[in-house]
Amino acid sequence: SRRKHLFSRDRLKLFLKQHCEPHDGVIKAKATSIEKYNLAERNFSYFFPDEPPTFIFSPASRRRGRPPKRASASLVSN
C-alpha cells in the first residue's frame, strides 16, 4: 500500500475541483481560495525561493533511421 501523502491523479482532481474553475478556456484559482490563502499578496518567489533553474539549449535532432515525413500525393492539390 502507498503512503497517504503521495501525489496521485485522484488528489490532483480533488484539488482542481475544490480550488480551481475554468474561465474562457483557462483554469484559474477560485476567488474564495485566493482570499482564504492570501494568494493575491504572494508572488512567485514566495513559493519558489531558490534560484530559477538554468536549462542548457540542445538543438532538436532528427530521428535516426527515418526520413522526415512528407505530405502524401493525395493531400497535395494541383
Side-chain angles (χ1 to χ4, degrees), residues 5 14 16-17 19 22 30-34 36-38 44 46 57-58 61-62 64 67 74:
H5 65 278
L14 182 64
L16 291 172
K17 187 182 290 186
H19 299 287
K30 290 183 179 180
T32 55
S33 296
I34 291 172
K36 180 177 180 180
Y37 297 107
N38 297 324
F44 185 82
Y46 176 82
F57 174 77
S58 60
S61 61
R62 292 188 174 183
R64 294 181 191 171
S74 63

Side-chain angles (χ1 to χ4, degrees), residues 2-78:
R2 289 196 236 168
R3 293 184 288 180
K4 291 182 181 179
H5 65 278
L6 290 176
F7 180 78
S8 69
R9 182 180 183 150
D10 291 331
R11 286 188 167 275
L12 176 60
K13 287 171 69 175
L14 182 64
F15 169 78
L16 291 172
K17 187 182 290 186
Q18 290 178 343
H19 299 287
C20 301
E21 58 191 359
H23 284 284
D24 299 324
V26 178
I27 298 174
K28 295 185 177 184
K30 290 183 179 180
T32 55
S33 296
I34 291 172
E35 191 176 315
K36 180 177 180 180
Y37 297 107
N38 297 324
L39 297 179
E41 299 170 7
R42 310 283 188 226
N43 59 16
F44 185 82
S45 61
Y46 176 82
F47 298 103
F48 302 98
D50 298 331
E51 291 294 319
T54 305
F55 297 102
I56 299 171
F57 174 77
S58 60
S61 61
R62 292 188 174 183
R63 293 182 182 177
R64 294 181 191 171
R66 285 186 168 178
K69 289 185 177 181
R70 294 185 182 164
S72 67
S74 63
L75 296 177
V76 177
S77 61
N78 292 334

